Amino acid sequence: MNQFREVSTFFKKQYPLNKHGLEELFSLFELKKIDKNTILLKENDFEKELRFLNKGIIREYYSTSEREININFYTQPQFITDLSAFNGGIATKKNQQSLTKAEVLSIDKIKFEQLLEKYQCGKTIIESSFQKLLKHKELLEYNRITKTPEELYQELFIYKKHWLELIPQYHIASFLNISPETLSRIRKRIS
């Protein structure tokens, strides 16, 4: 049951389900141990499971023939599923890779949807998840358009300092859409 502590806390705070609903939900999760540098999601795949990061670090990125561009890092217990692809039944445009060894709890999409319908909580969970996702995407888009790489780095330093400590700098540079050398110059100016 220790493996469900993080996901249990998450659900109790974010989506209050009744006790029986939570117990049934946890019985459907499968614990997967992920090796470092494992691809969890690949562009053009369909999301067939709901994934919850229990431990570890996952990077999310877009890939072109020329380069990979990091768009997010998951470093704390939270859902890491591409919710747009999951809910819409469409192929994802994202990729995900473990940067460390990780533990992921996963549940089959069909079983999850059946559970949500059974306990009449599906609409609330999906709507709430999408509202959070849209809010996050809007903020990210706004920041990337209106702020300089140095301002974005300063925000990371304030709000996501753990990223700067845990994630290789070349991945941070990709997230900021700058070269590692530019990131190095920014870090020197700020410190």
Side-chain angles (χ1 to χ4, degrees):
M1 196 64 174
N2 188 30
Q3 66 201 32
F4 297 117
R5 185 182 50 156
E6 299 292 349
V7 73
S8 174
T9 301
F10 179 86
F11 263 97
K12 286 176 183 172
K13 286 181 182 176
Q14 302 292 326
Y15 313 107
L17 289 171
N18 66 38
K19 183 180 178 187
H20 299 294
L22 277 177
E23 288 173 6
E24 189 171 341
L25 174 69
F26 297 153
S27 74
L28 296 174
F29 273 111
E30 176 186 342
L31 178 65
K32 296 180 180 180
K33 300 216 182 246
I34 309 293
D35 289 328
K36 182 178 179 177
N37 295 322
T38 299
I39 300 296
L40 283 85
L41 182 65
K42 194 166 167 95
E43 180 180 1
N44 296 319
D45 284 351
F46 287 85
E47 285 282 22
K48 296 178 183 161
E49 61 184 14
L50 186 67
R51 292 182 311 285
F52 184 88
L53 177 64
N54 222 23
K55 293 180 185 173
I57 302 172
I58 307 294
R59 80 176 176 118
E60 189 168 69
Y61 62 98
Y62 293 123
S63 182
T64 68
S65 58
E66 292 88 38
R67 65 184 185 146
E68 295 175 352
I69 302 157
N70 291 316
I71 56 172
N72 201 359
F73 300 101
Y74 299 99
T75 58
Q76 60 190 19
Q78 63 188 300
F79 282 102
I80 59 172
T81 301
D82 178 348
L83 292 176
S84 294
F86 182 82
N87 191 50
I90 57 173
T92 185
K93 293 181 173 115
K94 299 176 181 179
N95 299 281
Q96 291 179 346
Q97 177 188 30
S98 59
L99 294 181
T100 63
K101 286 186 174 185
E103 283 184 9
V104 174
L105 295 169
S106 66
I107 182 173
D108 178 79
K109 179 180 179 177
I110 294 169
K111 290 179 182 177
F112 180 69
E113 289 171 344
Q114 289 169 344
L115 180 81
L116 294 181
E117 190 155 323
K118 178 179 179 180
Y119 289 99
Q120 300 296 310
C121 57
K123 187 175 181 188
T124 303
I125 289 177
I126 298 299
E127 284 177 359
S128 179
S129 296
F130 272 106
Q131 287 173 359
K132 289 176 186 175
L133 178 67
L134 287 173
K135 184 177 178 182
H136 175 74
K137 282 187 172 200
E138 281 185 23
L139 180 61
L140 182 62
E141 189 176 282
Y142 175 80
N143 284 344
R144 287 195 174 198
I145 291 171
T146 63
K147 296 186 179 178
T148 66
E150 188 164 331
E151 290 170 322
L152 292 172
Y153 180 82
Q154 288 174 331
E155 283 191 357
L156 287 180
F157 192 79
I158 294 167
Y159 300 110
K160 302 271 188 181
K161 193 169 188 174
H162 62 285
W163 282 16
L164 303 177
E165 296 165 355
L166 299 172
I167 297 167
Q169 292 302 298
Y170 67 95
H171 282 306
I172 297 293
S174 170
F175 177 79
L176 297 172
N177 205 18
I178 58 176
S179 70
E181 295 78 20
T182 301
L183 176 57
S184 182
R185 287 191 294 274
I186 289 171
R187 291 176 66 204
K188 284 179 186 174
R189 279 195 303 268
I190 289 176
S191 58

